[in-house]
């Protein structure tokens, strides 16, 4: 694959890029996720996503997010 | 009714007067003539869809995604004009809103010094987002005499090593680029990190660029790209309003 460079004006950027740049971190977005195989819906998940940077998460929870941890996950 | 704030502006331009904000409400300017500062606002009715959305966001309630997307896009459109009109401090979406308009003016007057300092810091700047991706190197040839099980494991291991190599390359690439573009990056120890891992083999960085040097930034990026080996791609979008670089102190003024 050749090296490539793409330069896009902001107004031609994707919606996800607009959200990345303009939406405040900490906003909660809800949505649905349905996992299906061969057109059969198997699993439904109601999602609540918090748009948040890792640094902000560290500030809010008091957890040092920049250091790896050896604590077992719950 | 409430006042929804898009941005703080220095010597606000009349260009803004023809703008439409959320729910078709006209964008208006509230100006403190003493400090020369103003805010671009629109008035929202309680039953407006944006007012409902804002209250849902404040309370962490369910929001309809299409409505959110539309509101963010509308906010971005107003900010784009604000940025083109002169030095401004753009708020990310959702911008602050106030039931009493005198609250907005009080904050503008009471903190004019801090707002002016922030305008000098990022007022005439825009943000450029850059994503670096590295293609994974090709898989080496496997040994033909291995059993199918060992061959499968060997291939899995090779793919993992391939991904790790691409990720290392993307990170090196991003760090090198940050060094190269030092004069375009505001080094503010208080600001949150602007270097985010996007996936195993790509990284993203946001640069704060003075408006007067946008072209120079693009040219530098093009020259930088010309020196890169095959298999690496750079995607750049911008100019964006520098919402992400707005300091916490200024955000708190309008909280």
């Amino acid at each position: 694959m050749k090296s490539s460079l793409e330069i896009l004006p902001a107004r031609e950027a994707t919606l996800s890029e607009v959200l990345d740049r303009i939406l405040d971190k900490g906003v909660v977005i809800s949505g649905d996720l349905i996992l299906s195989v061969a057109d059969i819906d198997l699993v439904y998940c109601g999602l609540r996503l918090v748009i948040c940077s890792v640094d902000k998460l560290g500030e809010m929870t008091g957890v040092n997010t920049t250091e790896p941890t050896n604590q077992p996950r719950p | 009714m409430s006042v929804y704030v898009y941005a703080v502006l220095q010597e606000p331009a009349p260009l803004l007067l023809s703008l439409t904000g959320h729910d078709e409400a006209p964008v208006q300017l509230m100006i403190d003539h003493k400090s020369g500062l103003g805010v671009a606002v629109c008035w929202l009715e309680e039953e407006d869809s944006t007012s409902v959305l804002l209250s849902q966001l404040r309370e962490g309630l369910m929001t309809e995604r299409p409505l959110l997307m539309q509101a963010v896009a509308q906010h971005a459109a107003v900010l784009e004009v604000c940025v083109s009109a002169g030095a401004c401090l753009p708020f990310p979406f959702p911008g602050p809103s106030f039931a009493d308009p005198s609250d907005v003016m009080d904050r503008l007057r009471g903190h004019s010094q801090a707002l002016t300092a922030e305008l000098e810091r990022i007022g005439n700047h825009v943000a450029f987002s850059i994503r670096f991706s590295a293609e994974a190197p090709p898989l080496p040839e496997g040994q033909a005499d291995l059993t199918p099980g060992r061959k499968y494991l060997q291939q899995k291991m090779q793919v993992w090593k391939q991904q790790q190599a691409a990720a290392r390359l993307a990170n090196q690439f991003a760090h090198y680029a940050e060094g190269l573009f030092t004069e375009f990056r505001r080094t503010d120890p208080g600001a949150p990190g602007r270097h985010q891992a996007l996936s195993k083999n790509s990284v993203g960085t946001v640069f704060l660029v003075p408006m007067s040097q946008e072209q120079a930034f693009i040219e530098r990026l093009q020259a930088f790209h010309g020196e890169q080996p095959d298999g690496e791609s750079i995607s750049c979008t911008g100019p964006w309003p520098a919402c992400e670089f707005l300091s916490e102190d200024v955000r708190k003024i309008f909280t």
Side-chain angles (χ1 to χ4, degrees), chain B residues 97-113:
Chain B
S97 63
F98 298 89
D100 186 351
S102 64
D103 269 356
V104 182
M105 291 308 289
D106 286 349
R107 284 155 208 253
L108 205 58
R109 290 187 192 115
H111 299 273
S112 60
Q113 214 169 348

Side-chain angles (χ1 to χ4, degrees), chain A residues 1-11 13 15 17 19-24 27-30 48 55-56, chain B residues 60 62-63 80 92-93 129 131 135 193 206 225 229-240 244 251:
Chain A
M1 189 181 96
K2 292 290 284 179
S3 175
S4 68
L5 171 64
E6 182 186 45
I7 300 174
L8 277 179
R11 62 180 58 185
L15 195 52
E17 179 79 22
L19 290 177
D20 273 355
R21 303 282 73 83
I22 305 295
L23 188 61
D24 198 8
V27 166
V28 180
I29 301 178
S30 57
R48 285 172 71 78
D55 297 326
K56 190 79 180 172
Chain B
M62 297 267 285
T63 55
E80 188 185 340
F93 181 86
S129 162
R131 294 181 179 202
E135 189 188 32
V206 184
H225 166 254
D230 287 353
E232 292 174 358
S233 63
I234 306 173
S235 162
C236 170
T237 59
W240 295 98
E244 293 166 275
R251 284 163 172 250

Side-chain angles (χ1 to χ4, degrees), chain B residues 205-242:
Chain B
T205 305
V206 184
F207 289 96
L208 187 66
V209 178
M211 284 180 187
S212 58
Q213 293 183 48
E214 281 180 41
Q215 194 52 38
F217 180 80
I218 297 292
E219 283 167 13
R220 179 74 64 84
L221 185 65
Q222 285 165 334
F224 174 60
H225 166 254
E227 297 164 11
Q228 297 312 305
D230 287 353
E232 292 174 358
S233 63
I234 306 173
S235 162
C236 170
T237 59
W240 295 98

Side-chain angles (χ1 to χ4, degrees), chain B residues 10 83 86-90 117-126 186 211:
Chain B
Q10 203 161 37
V83 170
C88 86
L89 302 176
E118 184 74 343
L119 276 161
E120 278 170 23
R121 191 178 75 86
I122 67 163
N124 281 308
H125 289 66
V126 284
R186 181 68 63 173
M211 284 180 187

Side-chain angles (χ1 to χ4, degrees), chain B residues 9 12-21 24-31 39-41 78 81-82 85:
Chain B
L9 299 105
L15 169 70
L16 291 166
L17 295 174
S18 56
L19 257 183
T20 304
E24 304 293 319
V27 174
Q28 297 180 355
L29 294 170
M30 296 172 73
I31 301 172
V39 279
V41 300
V78 174
V81 179
C82 290

